[in-house]
């Protein structure tokens, strides 16, 4: 039996709590990496138009021999395509690249509040169309701050199923997570091990040693016990396997608290700040 628990989203669909992320995996390496992840047991892949490897993700899912319905695939609307007409074309291209007739989850990748007159609301209403016609089973957002979520709640009909945000021991991001918890929005924690940046922290190495696990496993288990969805990235088969083995141990409340206490607030952020991030690919 697959050990990964599922989380029920606010629209009734379910998502495996542990997945496999493919940011910074070269297209030429993606089909192999995703194929290995599926062999290990991962059933949830997180890609994006921005990553340039949707096509290879789709190829790997087909080559695995698994039923399409057994693999949860997320993709995201790139920053160039927030205008509704552009979003429709971009979504068509995403489905065509993946070679699928639906995605399990489609996200607005960044809110871009300083661009497009701050109008992520009409972008969100366009994603509602994709949910309505069944080509996106669930829809959500990524990198949305509380203020952005409040605006969607005030001006649209659909509460995002997920908000995919940067979360790891150095950036607990608890205000955004708390808003999600109160409003039925599942948190997906991106860069869950801060791209390796938290693995030598003495608190984490101590807790890992005590549990007879690796630092990455201790950190990923911390996320799981906080109830967040994670999808660590690795191109290294032994690490992909290690990151999958999270469900045969538990961190006690003291260890959970000690990891949570590593939070550095905004200083812990490794990626862009969503309030100011304004990159639009050419
Ligand atoms: N929505 C958004 O804006 C964003 C979304 N994401 C999503 O989140 C996913 C995960 O985040 P990501 O930024 O990739 O970073 P992660 O926190 O998953 O870290 C990935 C890095 O850690 C290394 N690594 C993985 N496992 C281990 C291990 N067990 N021990 C030691 N090192 C390890 C990998 O090396 P190697 O590959 O060489 O093994 C890689 O360098 C992305 O792939 C993407 O899907 C990420 C950033 C932004
Ligand atoms: O990986 C993602 O999903 C991202 O959005 C990041 O690449 C992000 O755009 C970034 O790291 C920019 O420097």
């Amino acid at each position: 039996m697959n050990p990964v628990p599922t989380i029920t989203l606010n629209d009734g669909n379910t998502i495996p709590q542990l997945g496999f992320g493919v940011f910074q995996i070269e297209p030429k390496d993606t089909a192999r990496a995703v194929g290995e992840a599926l062999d290990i047991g991962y059933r949830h892949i997180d890609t994006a138009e921005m990553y340039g490897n949707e096509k290879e993700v789709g190829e790997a899912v087909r080559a695995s021999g698994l039923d399409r319905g057994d693999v949860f695939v997320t993709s995201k609307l790139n920053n160039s395509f927030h205008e509704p007409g552009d979003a429709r074309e971009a979504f068509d291209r995403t489905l065509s690249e993946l070679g699928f007739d639906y995605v399990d989850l489609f996200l607005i990748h960044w809110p871009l509040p300083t661009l497009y007159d701050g109008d992520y609301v009409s972008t969100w209403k366009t994603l509602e169309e994709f949910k309505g016609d069944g080509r996106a089973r669930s829809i959500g957002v990524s990198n949305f701050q509380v203020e952005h979520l409040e605006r969607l709640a005030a001006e649209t009909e659909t509460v995002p199923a997920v908000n995919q945000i940067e979360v790891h021991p150095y950036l607990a991001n608890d205000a955004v997570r708390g808003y999600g918890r109160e409003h039925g929005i599942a948190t997906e924690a991106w860069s869950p091990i801060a791209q390796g940046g938290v693995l030598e922290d003495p608190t984490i190495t101590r807790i890992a040693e005590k549990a007879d696990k690796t630092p990455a496993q201790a950190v990923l288990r911390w996320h799981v016990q906080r109830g967040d969805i994670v999808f660590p990235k690795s191109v290294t088969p032994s690490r992909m396997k290690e990151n999958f083995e999270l469900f045969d141990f538990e961190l006690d409340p003291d260890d959970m608290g000690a990891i949570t206490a590593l939070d550095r607030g905004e200083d812990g952020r490794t990626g862009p700040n969503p309030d100011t991030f304004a990159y639009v690919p050419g």
Side-chain angles (χ1 to χ4, degrees), residues 22-24 46-48 50-51 76 78-79 109-110 142-143 164 190-191 195 270-272 277 279:
V22 299
F23 174 44
Q24 291 178 321
D46 185 85
T47 185
M50 188 186 282
Y51 306 163
K76 316 185 190 90
N78 206 341
N79 296 347
H109 204 144
W110 288 88
S142 175
N143 299 301
Q164 183 177 127
W190 64 251
S191 291
Q195 300 201 336
T270 63
F277 188 56
Y279 171 69

Side-chain angles (χ1 to χ4, degrees), residues 3-226:
V4 179
T6 55
I7 288 188
T8 301
L9 302 174
N10 63 17
D11 58 10
N13 292 329
T14 56
I15 182 171
Q17 191 180 8
L18 173 68
F20 183 70
V22 299
F23 174 44
Q24 291 178 321
I25 305 188
E26 294 290 328
K28 69 176 174 47
D29 299 325
T30 302
R32 174 200 61 82
V34 172
E36 279 166 358
L38 294 171
D39 279 349
I40 288 166
Y42 291 86
R43 293 290 180 269
H44 165 185
I45 311 295
D46 185 85
T47 185
E49 199 272 353
M50 188 186 282
Y51 306 163
N53 53 21
E54 289 171 310
K55 181 164 169 275
E56 292 75 13
V57 167
E59 282 170 10
V61 171
R62 278 185 294 284
S64 71
L66 292 163
D67 287 343
R68 169 70 188 91
D70 289 337
V71 186
F72 189 104
V73 178
T74 299
S75 195
K76 316 185 190 90
L77 182 73
N78 206 341
N79 296 347
S80 324
F81 309 124
H82 273 217
E83 302 273 4
D86 295 337
R88 291 184 193 107
E89 287 176 14
F91 184 61
D92 288 347
R93 278 196 302 275
T94 278
L95 289 180
S96 159
E97 284 289 297
L98 286 163
F100 295 164
D101 52 13
Y102 72 93
V103 283
D104 296 278
L105 177 62
F106 194 63
L107 310 180
I108 300 179
H109 204 144
W110 288 88
L112 307 177
T114 64
L115 299 179
Y116 301 103
D117 296 324
D119 180 18
Y120 42 79
V121 174
S122 63
T123 315
W124 179 245
K125 288 181 176 169
T126 311
L127 264 65
E128 286 179 321
E129 295 172 15
F130 309 151
K131 165 96 179 146
D133 66 25
R135 292 183 304 150
R137 296 273 165 95
S138 295
I139 53 173
V141 294
S142 175
N143 299 301
F144 273 47
Q145 305 278 53
V146 169
E147 178 194 340
H148 309 140
L149 296 168
E150 284 173 341
R151 194 161 153 216
L152 292 190
E155 298 180 37
T156 75
E157 299 302 317
T158 312
V159 178
V162 310
N163 187 18
Q164 183 177 127
I165 55 174
E166 182 178 347
V167 184
H168 47 69
Y170 291 162
L171 181 68
N173 224 335
D174 275 339
V176 184
R177 291 178 70 252
Y179 181 94
R181 194 165 46 247
E182 280 162 29
H183 295 86
I185 304 168
T187 294
E188 298 192 326
W190 64 251
S191 291
I193 56 171
Q195 300 201 336
V198 294
L199 300 183
E200 286 174 16
D201 187 286
T203 299
I204 289 167
T205 53
R206 174 181 60 76
I207 290 169
E209 225 167 275
K210 183 176 141 196
D212 199 18
K213 293 288 172 181
T214 67
Q217 287 171 323
V219 173
L220 293 168
R221 179 71 206 180
W222 170 80
H223 285 284
V224 165
Q225 284 183 219
R226 275 159 54 99

